[in-house]
Amino acid sequence: MTAKVIRVSSNDSAEVIRQCLQVLESINSDSSVPRNIRRSVNEIMDILNNESEPLFLRAASSISILEDISNDPNLPLHTRTLIWNLSSQLETIPVDE
């Protein structure tokens, strides 16, 4: 079975970033999320909003932080699921933009 490659246009990538920022904002406002996780979420939001960096680099940096967050034993399960979904969405951003 061959896998289909789906190209994401720059407009779609911008939409992915916008949606991810919304989810990050909801995590940030969740009082059940530990403070250190919310601090990391703020860092990711700053990275994604930094338009002086290439989009793929912002996505890769964010994914790296999300992976670290997902391994935190104090992370609530519902937030861990959101973190995994965010990583999956950010992985759709192509490197060649």
Side-chain angles (χ1 to χ4, degrees):
M1 180 179 218
T2 60
K4 288 186 176 182
V5 176
I6 299 173
R7 300 279 302 163
V8 179
S9 72
S10 61
N11 289 339
D12 291 340
S13 295
E15 179 64 17
V16 166
I17 295 293
R18 189 186 66 73
Q19 290 174 357
C20 287
L21 285 168
Q22 286 179 339
V23 173
L24 288 164
E25 187 60 46
S26 71
I27 293 171
N28 198 30
S29 63
D30 185 349
S31 62
S32 69
V33 176
R35 192 176 312 140
N36 65 321
I37 302 295
R38 288 188 301 210
R39 222 176 285 125
S40 294
V41 165
N42 277 328
E43 182 181 352
I44 295 168
M45 290 170 63
D46 290 343
I47 290 169
L48 291 177
N49 283 318
N50 181 4
E51 294 186 6
S52 65
E53 294 286 332
L55 191 56
F56 76 91
L57 188 58
R58 291 185 275 160
S61 298
S62 298
I63 291 168
S64 176
I65 296 170
L66 288 168
E67 287 177 4
D68 290 342
I69 292 173
S70 71
N71 293 323
D72 190 310
N74 297 319
L75 186 65
L77 289 178
H78 67 279
T79 306
R80 188 176 314 252
T81 304
L82 291 173
I83 296 293
W84 290 337
N85 288 338
L86 284 169
S87 290
S88 296
Q89 286 299 309
L90 289 171
E91 287 171 355
T92 65
I93 295 175
V95 175
D96 60 351
E97 281 192 16

